[in-house]
Amino acid sequence: MTTEDLCGMGPLVARLGRGGEWLRHADRTRPWVSDTVVVVLVFLVCCLPDLLQGGAGGGDGPRRLRVAFIQLPTVGILALQAGLVLPLLWRRRSPAAAFGAVTAVFVLQWCLGAALRADVALFVALYSLALHGRLRQLPWACAVMAGAVGLVAVRVSPAVSVWDALFFLLSTATAALALGLMIRIRRAQLAGLRDRAARLEIERDQRGRLAVAAERTRVAREMHDIVGHNLSVIVTLADAGAYATTVAPERGREALHLIGDTGRQALGELRRLLGVLREADGPRTEPELSPQPGLADIDALCEGVRAAGLDVIYRTGGDVDALDSGVQLTVYRIVQEALTNTLKHAGADSRANLAIVVENTRLTITVQDSGPAAPAGRRGPANEEGHGLVGMRERVALYSGHVSAGPAGAGWTVRAALDLAPQGGAG
């Protein structure tokens, strides 16, 4: 077959595929129509010729075969044909009952010594039982079928060898049984594939919703860190500037400049964060993005907090420069949140000791303040957690770490530990 022939068969194959799909859809939606069509076809092809011949003998076959069978009247032929064909109407709803009824009429007919073309209904019933019935019913159905075809082989023995008749009849029954089982297995496979596709679609939607929820949580955490820290610094600077304008105007102007710098820094970080969420309508240029903050930015963070009045003593230990960007961002956000809480609760006249230490595969962050100058500025009870501490715990959980926060003398201590081992990291 040439390539042109294959190309020419394309439309035909497509039409046949559409026709098969239409038939399957009709069979699923109106099964009674399909069962009625099968009965009508069997009647037209197999029953009508026997009625037109007016008897049930050997027909145009060999003389020995014609002599072996009796001639039945038309009423008897109609009765046997109805018993063979009509049970096929419920072959889908009750395949075992249909097979039993057809087999009973089939055995009765051959015991009478009559031969009918409608006997093909027995093979249709066996096919329907294999396709629609229970699998545990097939062994006894096969045994009954073997007995029925054995009876036929004995009855036609004057004209055909018993073994030849058995071979032909058993081969036909095996083909009907195999066809029913094959279509049954194919339908089960397709149903499994449809179910799997539906589950995968549900899982995909669930993964999408989880990803959206995780992204919203991440954005909310970043927004809290950016806005909370910078607003705390701005509020502290504004209070100090308002006080300084009356006693030291130069310090007031310096506080205003620091407020402007802090506000611009906050706007820049917010613009960078929101730019990630915004759908790009056109090409984006590289300068719109800035790197995530890391350990190198903690000095600038401490300078901003010092400008607000909080005395920060910062030290590091170990090879902190070798930390990857994900760990550095986590460390920066934890330090930012801890210093913001110190500035908010302990006040600008306190002192904070910040230590970042790397030992082997463990990183420790410690922020300890000296406490507020007045008891009125003290934090609430230790069991009252805000979003900041929850955000810290979510961040360190990515590195199998933990966070503790609580009073230490007159002040407050926040301690976070991260596991930098490869199996626990989340780079």
Side-chain angles (χ1 to χ4, degrees):
M1 184 176 291
T2 63
T3 305
E4 289 78 5
D5 295 334
L6 292 176
C7 294
M9 291 178 62
L12 177 61
V13 172
R15 285 195 293 271
L16 290 176
R18 288 193 294 270
E21 183 63 29
W22 181 84
L23 288 177
R24 286 190 293 271
H25 177 71
D27 184 67
R28 289 192 300 268
T29 55
R30 296 179 178 86
W32 62 271
V33 175
S34 301
D35 296 339
T36 305
V37 169
V38 170
V39 172
V40 172
L41 287 177
V42 172
F43 175 80
L44 294 177
V45 175
C46 300
C47 299
L48 193 59
D50 286 338
L51 292 175
L52 295 178
Q53 288 179 2
D60 296 331
R63 185 175 182 277
R64 288 181 300 172
L65 187 60
R66 294 198 303 269
V67 172
F69 301 113
I70 65 172
Q71 299 290 330
L72 292 177
T74 303
V75 176
I77 295 175
L78 281 174
L80 291 175
Q81 288 178 344
L84 290 171
V85 176
L86 290 181
L88 298 180
L89 288 173
W90 64 81
R91 66 185 182 88
R92 191 191 308 265
R93 298 186 298 274
S94 302
F99 177 79
V102 173
T103 303
V105 177
F106 179 86
V107 172
L108 174 63
Q109 167 210 321
W110 283 96
C111 288
L112 294 175
L116 295 175
R117 293 181 176 88
D119 290 340
V120 71
L122 181 63
F123 300 103
V124 177
L126 180 62
Y127 158 81
S128 302
L129 181 61
L131 178 59
H132 303 292
R134 299 176 180 177
L135 293 179
R136 64 171 179 265
Q137 296 172 343
L138 289 182
W140 68 261
C142 293
V144 172
M145 188 72 178
V149 299
L151 174 63
V152 176
V154 172
R155 296 293 296 180
V156 300
S157 59
V160 182
S161 169
V162 173
W163 298 110
D164 292 341
L166 281 176
F167 176 79
F168 173 76
L169 293 173
L170 289 177
S171 298
T172 306
T174 303
L177 182 65
L179 181 62
L181 289 176
M182 182 187 68
I183 296 178
R184 183 188 188 119
I185 293 172
R186 179 60 177 170
R187 289 182 178 179
Q189 290 175 343
L190 291 176
L193 290 175
R194 293 191 190 98
D195 183 65
R196 184 170 180 268
R199 289 200 307 269
L200 289 176
E201 186 174 357
I202 293 174
E203 291 176 1
R204 182 198 62 191
D205 295 339
Q206 290 177 345
R207 286 195 300 268
R209 287 193 291 268
L210 289 175
V212 170
E215 184 65 15
R216 287 178 177 174
T217 302
R218 186 189 69 83
V219 171
R221 188 168 57 231
E222 294 287 336
M223 292 284 289
H224 173 270
D225 293 339
I226 295 171
V227 176
H229 168 74
N230 289 285
L231 283 181
S232 296
V233 174
I234 289 174
V235 169
T236 304
L237 289 173
D239 292 339
Y243 173 77
T245 52
T246 58
V247 296
E250 293 296 331
R251 296 297 300 274
R253 284 193 295 271
E254 182 181 354
L256 292 177
H257 288 304
L258 290 174
I259 289 174
D261 294 339
T262 304
R264 281 188 291 271
Q265 179 184 356
L267 286 176
E269 293 188 20
L270 287 176
R271 193 175 292 115
R272 173 188 57 78
L273 180 62
L274 297 178
V276 176
L277 304 179
R278 188 183 302 115
E279 294 182 357
D281 298 329
R284 298 182 60 179
T285 57
E286 191 66 24
E288 293 182 3
L289 301 176
S290 61
Q292 293 275 29
L295 292 181
D297 300 292
I298 293 183
D299 290 325
L301 176 66
C302 293
E303 289 296 330
V305 175
R306 291 189 188 103
L310 179 64
D311 183 17
V312 180
I313 300 174
Y314 172 42
R315 69 179 183 87
T316 60
D319 190 8
V320 295
D321 296 331
L323 299 176
D324 60 61
S325 58
V327 176
Q328 292 192 29
L329 175 61
T330 299
V331 173
Y332 180 88
R333 292 305 186 195
I334 292 174
V335 171
Q336 184 183 48
E337 179 64 28
L339 293 179
T340 301
N341 289 338
T342 299
L343 188 63
K344 183 188 305 183
H345 298 289
D349 297 330
S350 62
R351 183 180 69 256
N353 293 314
L354 168 62
I356 302 175
V357 180
V358 177
E359 295 178 350
N360 296 327
T361 60
R362 185 177 181 85
L363 186 147
T364 305
I365 307 167
T366 305
V367 181
Q368 183 176 7
D369 62 67
S370 59
R378 189 62 193 151
R379 294 173 175 83
N383 59 352
E384 294 184 1
E385 296 185 358
H387 296 289
L389 186 57
V390 174
M392 290 184 192
R393 288 179 174 166
E394 291 178 354
R395 290 183 184 277
V396 300
L398 297 176
Y399 297 93
S400 303
H402 63 275
V403 176
S404 61
W412 192 270
T413 299
V414 175
R415 183 174 288 104
L418 284 70
D419 186 3
L420 304 180
Q423 65 271 17

